[in-house]
Amino acid sequence: MRFAIVVSLISFLAIAGCGKRQHWTETEMQSHLSQKQAWQDARIVAMNGTGRNVGFITDTSNSMGEYISSYAYVVYERNWDAVEPGFVVIVKSDKGRKAHRVLEVDGEYILTQGTTNKRPDQWTHKDNYYGTIVSQHYYRSPEGANDYRA
């Protein structure tokens, strides 16, 4: 019960405080929260779930449109058996980690695609799966702020 209240409160604060601003060629979600507070909130959510971690994802190619923000920490959960089409997962690519939406699951492979991409990625083996994004914790533009990456 307490966990549900904490998650609801954090989600409400993250969504209620979000605004938009131009960043490169995309419009990204932001919050009134400091980067440190967003990181702490993400850590609380991660600690209340088994197999959850906090990550920092930057969508420099804008492949996920407004879904992934450069001003957010994501909580992701490593649970290959629960992956379904529609989920947004973090996978290893030739350029590092990327977060894309799952189109298909076939045994030990998934087919993903960025929301704004015209073509799907290549099939990805489960060994290259980091986790499924379960929440994002937005913060205001970090101009000169400390970096609280986990």
Side-chain angles (χ1 to χ4, degrees), residues 10 40 93:
I10 290 171
Q40 290 172 337
S93 75

Side-chain angles (χ1 to χ4, degrees), residues 77-83 87-92 102 110 124-133:
E77 184 174 80
R78 188 169 177 87
N79 187 355
W80 174 261
D81 295 331
V83 174
F87 287 9
V88 177
V89 297
I90 302 170
V91 294
K92 183 178 178 181
V102 175
I110 54 174
T124 302
H125 189 267
K126 72 178 185 178
D127 290 345
N128 294 318
Y129 164 80
Y130 285 100
T132 302
I133 294 177

Side-chain angles (χ1 to χ4, degrees), residues 5-19 29-34 37-38 41 136-139:
I5 293 170
V6 170
V7 170
S8 297
L9 179 61
I10 290 171
S11 298
F12 171 77
L13 291 173
I15 293 170
C18 293
M29 299 297 288
Q30 285 193 56
S31 168
H32 68 284
L33 298 177
S34 69
Q37 185 63 54
D41 291 350
Q136 288 194 66
H137 301 267
Y138 302 100
Y139 56 88

Side-chain angles (χ1 to χ4, degrees), residues 4-121:
I5 293 170
V6 170
V7 170
S8 297
L9 179 61
I10 290 171
S11 298
F12 171 77
L13 291 173
I15 293 170
C18 293
K20 295 186 178 196
R21 75 173 195 89
Q22 286 300 113
H23 174 72
W24 295 100
T25 61
E26 59 189 298
T27 302
E28 297 180 289
M29 299 297 288
Q30 285 193 56
S31 168
H32 68 284
L33 298 177
S34 69
Q35 185 176 11
K36 181 177 180 180
Q37 185 63 54
W39 180 82
Q40 290 172 337
D41 291 350
R43 293 294 305 152
I44 290 169
V45 171
M47 288 187 298
N48 284 305
T50 305
R52 290 185 176 176
N53 295 297
V54 176
F56 185 79
I57 303 292
T58 302
D59 186 21
T60 56
S61 68
N62 198 25
S63 66
M64 289 299 289
E66 293 182 13
Y67 183 79
I68 299 291
S69 173
S70 296
Y71 302 114
Y73 290 99
V74 295
V75 175
Y76 63 95
E77 184 174 80
R78 188 169 177 87
N79 187 355
W80 174 261
D81 295 331
V83 174
E84 296 180 15
F87 287 9
V88 177
V89 297
I90 302 170
V91 294
K92 183 178 178 181
S93 75
D94 57 346
K95 297 178 182 176
R97 293 182 186 187
K98 68 179 174 186
H100 278 177
R101 194 168 303 280
V102 175
L103 298 177
E104 292 181 51
V105 179
D106 187 5
E108 296 186 344
Y109 290 87
I110 54 174
L111 184 64
T112 60
Q113 181 174 348
T115 302
T116 62
N117 292 353
K118 294 181 181 180
R119 289 182 228 104
D121 305 319

